[in-house]
Amino acid sequence: MATLIFTPQLARFISAPEIHTDALTLRAGLEAAFASNPRLRAYLLDEQGCLRPNVAIFIDGHNVRDHVHLSAPLTAHSKVHVLQALSGG
């Protein structure tokens, strides 16, 4: 099963325990997380269902570039890290 890991900085704002899912895409994996914590959706996705600019997702160490469809494939061994993106200088 794929594992979605929400970094501790998200825990400051919302409960986000690790999720194990048999989802085949990132969007389906996120939907599994939202099913256990509906408030998480508004923190990660905007009103159009796109990833918010202040959130970054990495699947097996690779940055997810598709912020709209979130169609990146997941495997049974995928590790998905969801974190607050940092900016500034």
Side-chain angles (χ1 to χ4, degrees):
M1 297 187 101
T3 304
L4 279 73
I5 303 160
F6 300 90
T7 57
Q9 70 237 109
L10 287 174
R12 294 183 312 174
F13 304 106
I14 192 161
S15 173
E18 191 170 289
I19 300 288
H20 300 278
T21 179
D22 58 359
L24 299 177
T25 65
L26 175 57
R27 179 157 308 267
L30 289 173
E31 289 299 332
F34 301 152
S36 65
N37 185 350
R39 289 183 51 221
L40 187 58
R41 177 187 302 273
Y43 190 81
L44 299 181
L45 304 181
D46 64 17
E47 295 77 18
Q48 288 77 40
C50 301
L51 194 65
R52 291 190 180 278
N54 67 318
V55 176
I57 297 180
F58 292 84
I59 300 174
D60 299 324
H62 300 282
N63 190 6
V64 171
R65 303 262 183 228
D66 174 13
H67 289 195
V68 176
H69 302 290
L70 302 171
S71 59
L74 300 179
T75 68
H77 305 289
S78 289
K79 299 285 187 210
V80 180
H81 288 71
V82 181
L83 56 134
Q84 187 176 18
L86 300 176
S87 65

